[in-house]
Amino acid sequence: MATRSTGRTDVTRSAILARLGAQGPASRADLARALDVSPALITQLVKELIADGLVDEREHSPSQGGRPARRLGLVSSAGHAVGLKIAPDHLAFVEVELDGTVIRSAQEPFDASSATLLEGLGHAVEGFIDGGSGVPILGIGVAIPGTVDAQGSGIVDSYQLDWNDMPIGPTLRRMLGLPVLVENNVNALAMAERLFGIGRNHATFLTLTIGTGVGLGLVMDGVVLRGGSGGAGEIGHVPLVADGVLCSCGNHGCLETVIGQASLERRARDAAVIPQRAGIAALTRAADDGDGRAQEIFSDAGRVLARVLAGVVQVFDPESVIVLGEGTAAWKHWASGFEPEFRATLLPSRRGVPVEVETWTDESWAQGAAALVLSTPFDAVGLAGEQGRLVRSRLSVVPKPGVQSHGR
Amino acid sequence: MATRSTGRTDVTRSAILARLGAQGPASRADLARALDVSPALITQLVKELIADGLVDEREHSPSQGGRPARRLGLVSSAGHAVGLKIAPDHLAFVEVELDGTVIRSAQEPFDASSATLLEGLGHAVEGFIDGGSGVPILGIGVAIPGTVDAQGSGIVDSYQLDWNDMPIGPTLRRMLGLPVLVENNVNALAMAERLFGIGRNHATFLTLTIGTGVGLGLVMDGVVLRGGSGGAGEIGHVPLVADGVLCSCGNHGCLETVIGQASLERRARDAAVIPQRAGIAALTRAADDGDGRAQEIFSDAGRVLARVLAGVVQVFDPESVIVLGEGTAAWKHWASGFEPEFRATLLPSRRGVPVEVETWTDESWAQGAAALVLSTPFDAVGLAGEQGRLVRSRLSVVPKPGVQSHGR
DNA sequence: ACAACTTTGTTTAGAACTAAAGGAACTCTA
DNA sequence: TAGAGTTCCTTTAGTTCTAAACAAAGTTGT
C-alpha cells in the first residue's frame, strides 16, 4: 500500500529512540544512515531529544579517519513497557526498559474460563503496574496463544484458551487508559527476537518455537508477517501423515500429532522410558542422563521437523532460523536427528542457513509481549496503527524523571 | 528498516499514475485514501499532472450522499513499457501501455549458451523497440528463470539457462540507455498479477505457476517477497519422498520429481497413454477427450500438490491462491484431485481460501516482465532502487505525445 | 422547500524533511 | 609541520506534505 510519507507525527524522533534502544549507542551519522534520513534532520531532532531528557551524549568513538563521532545513548529509564503473557492457568508479567532489559517480573494464577476474567485481567495488570518503579509506562503488550483481529484492536480468538471474540484489547484500554497491543505469542516473540535477539543481525529470518506445540514466526525485510487473517506461522498443522492420528484441529496427521509435546510424552510412556504420570521434563532429564531410548524419541522428532522445516526454508528463503521456546532445553537431543536431515534435504544453495538456539528463560514470553510496545515506533505507518501512535506520543511527552503519570 | 519518508523525488506523483493505471479511474478523494496522503496534496499534484498531459478528467461518478466525485483517468498512451521473457531457446517481447494492455508482441529464436548472447540480446531488444509505436519507453523488464543478485542490478544465476553471474542488467542498460529491471519470472508474474490481475483485489496471496516445473510467488501486504537471497518460492524442491527419484537439484524426491511436467510425461508414456515421442500437450488432449488414465495422472498430481500447498497455506495464511502458467490448460483435470484433498487438509479456518485460475496466453510471461517496470513507481523506496527512480523520472518528464526520445 | 447532513475538492499556514555548502575534528602523506 | 583527505556535524534555503478551515455540490428528512 504505497507506504506513507512525511508529516503528521514525529515518526523519526521515535525511530531514533527505538534504534538507540535496540542497537545500542550510535553516532548521529550512524543514525542518519540507518534510518535513511539526512544528517541535518538527525542533528535537529537529537537536539530536541537531549533537551527532553530522552537521549544523552556519551563518549567519543575512535576516529575512522576523520572527525571522531560522538556517540548518543538512550536514557533507558525514560520510559518502561509492560509485557503480559496469558496462559490458560496463569499470567506472566515483566516490566522492561527501552532497551529491553527486564526490571522486574511476576507470575499470577489465572482462570481463562472464568466469567469475570476480563475484570480479573485488568486488575491484575493494574496491580503489577502499581507495584512498579514509578517510571512512566508507555504501554502494555499482551501475548496470547491464538489469533487477533486484523485491525489490531485486540479481539482474540484462541482455541487453547477457549476464547471467541474476546475483547482483551478494548477492555484493558478502557480500564487502564494506556496503549495496549495484543498479538499472537509466537509473533510477539519474533518481534522481540528482531529487536533484541539474534534476529537483530538479520532482516529475513524464521523463528521456530518449541513448546507444547511447534510454531513459526516469519520475519521478512525486518517486518513480522501476519498473513491475510493474522494466522501466519501455523506450522503445527501442516499435513504430514495421510490418515494419521486425529489432531485437535479436527484433521488427521498434522505435524503436531507427530512431534508435539503430547506425542513425545505418549511415546515415552508407552515405551516405559518415563513413568505414566511424568511429562516432558522427565523425558528431557532421561535424555540428558544418557538414556538412549529418550534420546531417540527426540532425534526422531528432529528428523521429522527437519523435513518440514526444510520445505519452509525452500519456499521462504530466510537468512537464518532461530530456535526458541521451553522445548529448547532438549534441543541438543533434537539436533542429533534434525541437523543431518535438515542439511541433506535443503537445496545446495540454502544448505548453509544457520540454525541458532536462543537462550530461554521463564520470562521470555512476557518479554516478547513487551517488545510489541517497544517496536511500535519502528514501523513507519505501522501494524500498530492507532495504538502505536499513542505509544509514540507518550514517549515524546515523557517528562523529566521524577514525576509519574500512568493512567490517563 | 524504518521505511522512508518525504522529499527527494516526486514519489507520490508516480504513485498516482501507477494507481490510476493499475486500478482504473478514480476520484481525487479515492486517491487520497488509497495512497494515504492528504486530499490537499492530491489536488495539487493532479493539477500538475493534468497540465503535463498525463492525466485527464473523466465523467462524474454518481453521488454517494454528498458532492459527486469527478473521476480521473490515466492518459495511458503517455508512456509504454517493454517486457522480455528469456527462455533457453527463444525470447518473447511485449510492449504495454501504462495500464498493462498489450500493444504488440513478438517472439525470436535465441541461444542462451551462445558466446555472443549478451550482444545478441541487446540487439534483439533494440530491434523490438525500433519497430515500435514511437511512444517513449519508460523501461525494460526482464523475466528470467533463475535468481537475481540482491542489489537488483540484474546479475543472473540460472540453472535452466546454464548462466552464472551473467550481467544481463548492466549490459542492457549500457546498450540501450534505458532503465532495466531484471527479476525471477515467477516473481515478475506475481507482480503482474498484483497490478493487473486477480491479485488486484487481495493484498496477501500466493501465485502458483505450473509449467515445466511448479513455482510459487509470495505476495504479502501488497509486496512481492523475494527472500533473503532472492530465492523465495522454490516450492518445486520441497522434500516429499524420502529416498525418492533423483532431482535436477541433486537431492532426492523433490516435489518436482513427482508432479513436474517431465514426471507426468514419463508416467503417461510408460502406461502407453501417449506415444513415446509425445509430450504434455498430447496428455492434456487425451484427458480432454475423456481418457480416464490421462485424467488420473493429472488428478493424482493434483492430490500431491494439494497436500504440499495446504502446508504452505497453513504457514503463510494467504487470502487467495492464484493458479498460472502453461499448465493451467489442464487445470480442470488437476482440480478433480486437488480440490477435495486441499480442502480436507486445511485448517477449518482456512478452508474457504479461494483457488482461482487466471487466463493464460503466450504473452503472459513477457507481460509479467513488463509489470516490473510499471510497478516501480509503487514502492516507496522500492526494491527497484536506482532503476525505479529512473523509471519515475522518465515518467514525469514524458513530453506531450508526438516527440520521441528513447535511448539517452 | 428548507435545514441538516455527507462527501468532494480547494486554499493557506506551517511542519517535516532534504540538498547543498561549509565548518569542525581528526588521520595520513610528504 | 603543512596540506590533502575523511568523516562528522551544523546551518540555511527551499521542497514536499499535512492539518485545518472552508467552499462546492449533492442527498435526506420534515
Side-chain angles (χ1 to χ4, degrees), chain A residues 192-402:
Chain A
E193 205 51 35
R194 177 189 145 237
L195 286 181
F196 307 120
I198 297 175
R200 213 159 46 183
N201 308 316
H202 303 287
T204 297
F205 60 90
L206 299 177
T207 61
L208 175 73
T209 52
I210 305 181
T212 55
V214 283
L216 208 57
L218 314 174
V219 179
M220 193 164 254
D221 298 329
V223 178
V224 177
L225 302 182
R226 306 182 69 251
S229 59
E234 277 293 354
I235 199 181
H237 301 282
V238 166
L240 199 64
V241 184
D243 307 319
V245 178
L246 177 68
C247 179
S248 60
C249 73
N251 288 337
H252 291 262
C254 296
L255 177 63
E256 200 158 304
T257 65
V258 181
I259 68 163
Q261 181 177 309
S263 158
L264 302 188
E265 287 172 344
R266 190 174 338 101
R267 213 183 127 189
R269 288 196 204 104
D270 290 354
V273 177
I274 57 172
Q276 281 303 318
R277 311 224 115 223
I280 192 78
L283 183 58
T284 304
R285 225 173 307 120
D288 286 344
D289 292 347
D291 183 331
R293 296 167 308 164
Q295 288 169 352
E296 204 182 317
I297 290 176
F298 283 120
S299 70
D300 281 355
R303 257 186 297 277
V304 172
L305 176 64
R307 291 183 69 84
V308 174
L309 196 64
V312 176
V313 169
Q314 230 76 287
V315 168
F316 193 78
D317 187 22
E319 294 165 11
S320 165
V321 177
I322 303 172
V323 185
L324 298 163
E326 295 85 359
T328 51
W331 178 253
K332 65 165 178 276
H333 305 302
W334 288 75
S336 67
F338 177 91
E339 270 293 333
E341 185 79 17
F342 185 63
R343 303 299 163 192
T345 319
L346 286 175
L347 281 175
S349 60
R350 306 270 155 87
R351 211 155 278 171
V353 174
V355 176
E356 300 164 89
V357 183
E358 182 69 274
T359 53
W360 187 259
T361 74
D362 282 347
E363 298 151 0
S364 293
W365 284 117
Q367 239 179 313
L372 294 171
V373 178
L374 299 176
S375 75
T376 49
F378 233 177
D379 353 287
V381 190
L383 311 150
E386 177 63 18
Q387 294 304 304
R389 219 170 309 138
L390 281 175
V391 173
R392 279 197 279 274
S393 72
R394 288 185 66 84
L395 191 54
S396 314
V397 168
V398 161
K400 316 283 179 204

Side-chain angles (χ1 to χ4, degrees), chain A residues 4 6 36 220 225 227-234 237 239 242 249 251 307 314-317 344-348 350-351, chain B residues 4 6 36 220 225 227-234 237 239 242 249 251 307 314-317 344-348 350-351:
Chain A
R4 255 311 272 337
T6 184
D36 196 13
M220 193 164 254
L225 302 182
S229 59
E234 277 293 354
H237 301 282
C249 73
N251 288 337
R307 291 183 69 84
Q314 230 76 287
V315 168
F316 193 78
D317 187 22
T345 319
L346 286 175
L347 281 175
R350 306 270 155 87
R351 211 155 278 171
Chain B
R4 255 311 275 334
T6 185
D36 196 14
M220 191 164 255
L225 303 181
S229 61
E234 277 293 355
H237 300 283
C249 73
N251 288 338
R307 291 183 67 84
Q314 230 75 288
V315 168
F316 192 78
D317 186 24
T345 319
L346 285 176
L347 280 176
R350 306 270 155 86
R351 211 156 276 170

Side-chain angles (χ1 to χ4, degrees), chain B residues 319-396:
Chain B
E319 294 165 12
S320 165
V321 177
I322 303 172
V323 185
L324 299 162
E326 295 86 358
T328 52
W331 178 253
K332 66 165 178 274
H333 305 302
W334 287 75
S336 68
F338 177 90
E339 271 292 334
E341 185 79 16
F342 185 62
R343 302 299 164 192
T345 319
L346 285 176
L347 280 176
S349 61
R350 306 270 155 86
R351 211 156 276 170
V353 175
V355 176
E356 301 163 270
V357 183
E358 182 69 274
T359 53
W360 186 260
T361 75
D362 281 348
E363 298 151 0
S364 294
W365 285 117
Q367 239 179 312
L372 293 172
V373 178
L374 300 176
S375 74
T376 48
F378 232 179
D379 352 285
V381 190
L383 311 150
E386 176 62 18
Q387 293 305 303
R389 219 170 309 140
L390 280 174
V391 173
R392 279 196 279 274
S393 72
R394 288 184 68 84
L395 191 53
S396 315

